[in-house]
Amino acid sequence: MRTPEELHLFTGPRLEFPLTAQQLDEIRADAAISPFTATDDGAVVGHIELVSTGEGVARIARVLVDPARQGHGLGERLLRAVLDEARERGIRTLTLRVIPTNARAIALYEKLGFAFTGEEEGARTMALEQP
């Protein structure tokens, strides 16, 4: 994330600017969160979280891709890894929130089967029911 506002917009209040590996390590300590972090030569280039919210239900959160890596499929690979993990755990309902102006993310979520379900806190909510 390039600015404190951008980080807050995409991740909420839990993370502080500048984002550090230590902050991501602290998230990994939370048993309800399954983080997936992509690295390249030790540098974090992408991150996504699967957050358990109930029996068979989870939320996808904090989807981050290094701006220099956007448009090269990294976000899709991270998202597919989370979907596979959810399926293996028996999670069938997945939700997420996306900023309405994030057309690239919305296109990816729709490509993978997510549909709009409403709005919450200035973001669009989307859901996916997995087989």
Side-chain angles (χ1 to χ4, degrees), residues 34-54:
S34 297
F36 295 75
T37 304
T39 61
D40 184 16
D41 289 329
V44 173
V45 295
H47 181 83
I48 189 171
E49 297 169 12
L50 179 64
V51 182
S52 178
T53 58

Side-chain angles (χ1 to χ4, degrees), residues 18-131:
L19 182 60
T20 63
Q22 179 181 353
Q23 291 180 74
L24 296 176
D25 287 342
E26 290 170 6
I27 287 171
R28 285 181 186 82
D30 187 331
I33 298 174
S34 297
F36 295 75
T37 304
T39 61
D40 184 16
D41 289 329
V44 173
V45 295
H47 181 83
I48 189 171
E49 297 169 12
L50 179 64
V51 182
S52 178
T53 58
E55 185 68 32
V57 181
R59 176 173 49 89
I60 294 174
R62 294 189 244 324
V63 181
L64 305 168
V65 175
D66 179 344
R69 306 294 176 114
Q70 292 176 356
H72 299 284
L74 178 58
E76 183 171 349
R77 288 191 303 274
L78 286 166
L79 191 57
R80 286 187 185 279
V82 165
L83 295 176
D84 290 345
E85 177 71 17
R87 204 172 292 110
E88 287 177 22
R89 292 185 186 186
I91 296 168
R92 298 294 177 235
T93 303
L94 291 153
T95 63
L96 59 81
R97 293 188 325 182
V98 62
I99 298 163
T101 57
N102 193 343
R104 182 178 278 164
I106 291 169
L108 173 59
Y109 299 144
E110 288 178 328
K111 174 183 173 182
L112 295 179
F114 283 84
F116 289 107
T117 58
E119 292 198 22
E120 181 181 311
E121 298 177 17
R124 290 185 178 175
T125 56
M126 299 182 81
L128 170 70
E129 296 292 330
Q130 296 198 101

Side-chain angles (χ1 to χ4, degrees), residues 6-17:
E6 191 175 72
L7 180 66
H8 182 77
L9 188 63
F10 281 89
T11 68
R14 184 165 183 175
L15 301 176
E16 296 178 10
F17 187 84

